[in-house]
Amino acid sequence: MNPFPANKILIKRLRSANSTNDAAINILKNQENIDWIIADEQLNGRGRRGNIWTSPLGGLYASVVLSDDKIEYSHLSQLSILSSVVAAKTIEEIIGKNLIRSKWPNDIFLAEKKLCGILIESVFIENKFYVIVGFGINVKFTNEQNQAKFSYLQEISDKVSVEKCFNKLILNFNKIINIWDYGRSFTRFKNYWLMLTQDHGRIIKVRI
């Protein structure tokens, strides 16, 4: 599959948004085409189960829209792992390998503090199925309070920028989702994710 042909990626950049996922959905409802949306800050960033994702200036907040007719609701669990791998590969290209760990389902940690969160949502608009994958990556420091709670790419690479991270994210997403091929090559990415996970082999509790 090739959802984003070379030189034809539609990107919308916003100064701020409640969340890039919400902004992407609103754009689709207005019957506009879009592949990626990025915001300098999110005013109401969110994670799974309604958790708040702090989103000040200095972070990468971007969402990608998937509208391939062959992608189905049953693929969502694989796309969750796949998106985590995309983020991990992107981060490793910037700060090097063997520094990050993944946490179920798709968070990424550096030095035991959260570095990246991903939120996947699916919507039907005009009888068409869309998957929205939102990435939040802490790139540069904001203030001491946030530094105590989260980790940042700047801790390892002082030359990192949001633009550099975003460019790598787009390239890795396009490359990996093509290799994934609607699940035919999912095992290789699942194995990579398992290699990074800090939860593999641990006893966990499930809340229903």
Side-chain angles (χ1 to χ4, degrees):
M1 62 181 297
N2 188 8
F4 307 126
N7 302 320
K8 293 184 179 180
I9 300 175
L10 299 177
I11 301 174
K12 186 176 183 65
R13 183 151 196 165
L14 303 175
R15 171 62 180 79
S16 65
N18 281 336
S19 80
T20 54
N21 273 25
D22 288 345
I25 292 171
N26 288 333
I27 289 171
L28 293 173
K29 287 181 177 179
N30 289 331
Q31 298 183 337
E32 298 178 44
N33 294 323
I34 189 174
D35 295 319
W36 284 87
I37 184 167
I38 179 173
D40 294 338
E41 64 177 343
Q42 293 183 131
L43 304 179
N44 190 27
R46 53 194 169 82
R48 295 174 63 248
R49 299 191 300 272
N51 292 331
I52 295 173
W53 175 260
T54 304
S55 311
L57 294 172
L60 170 60
Y61 317 111
S63 295
V64 59
V65 176
L66 294 176
S67 58
D68 191 312
D69 290 338
K70 293 183 180 180
I71 293 180
E72 302 173 347
Y73 188 82
S74 61
H75 287 130
L76 288 183
S77 60
Q78 290 190 11
L79 289 171
S80 179
I81 298 297
L82 203 72
S83 300
S84 182
V85 172
V86 169
K89 292 284 189 181
T90 299
I91 291 167
E92 287 185 335
E93 288 178 7
I94 295 172
I95 64 174
K97 294 186 176 182
N98 304 319
L99 294 175
I100 58 174
R101 303 290 286 172
S102 62
K103 180 182 178 182
W104 174 263
N106 44 33
D107 291 339
I108 296 176
F109 281 68
L110 170 67
E112 299 184 358
K113 292 188 290 186
K114 190 169 180 176
L115 173 65
C116 170
I118 298 169
L119 179 64
I120 297 181
E121 298 179 286
S122 59
V123 293
F124 278 97
I125 300 175
E126 299 293 330
N127 295 319
K128 187 172 180 61
F129 181 66
Y130 295 92
V131 178
I132 317 294
V133 183
F135 296 87
I137 302 177
N138 297 327
V139 180
K140 292 194 171 185
F141 299 136
T142 51
N143 56 55
E144 292 183 1
Q145 182 179 3
N146 283 337
Q147 288 182 43
K149 296 172 61 177
F150 302 107
S151 57
Y152 296 79
L153 296 180
Q154 190 180 16
E155 296 175 44
I156 310 297
S157 175
D158 57 3
K159 295 182 180 180
V160 68
S161 68
V162 172
E163 288 73 20
K164 178 181 179 180
C165 189
F166 184 45
N167 288 337
K168 289 183 177 294
L169 184 71
I170 291 174
L171 291 173
N172 278 304
F173 190 92
N174 206 34
K175 176 182 177 181
I176 288 173
I177 201 166
N178 274 280
I179 296 172
W180 171 66
D181 194 21
Y182 310 102
R184 293 181 182 88
S185 299
F186 175 65
T187 300
R188 63 182 290 184
F189 299 113
K190 181 186 71 174
N191 290 340
Y192 175 82
W193 183 89
L194 287 172
M195 180 182 67
L196 289 179
T197 183
Q198 61 186 17
D199 297 321
H200 194 204
R202 296 174 58 185
I203 297 175
I204 62 173
K205 294 181 179 179
V206 178
R207 291 189 299 178
I208 300 178

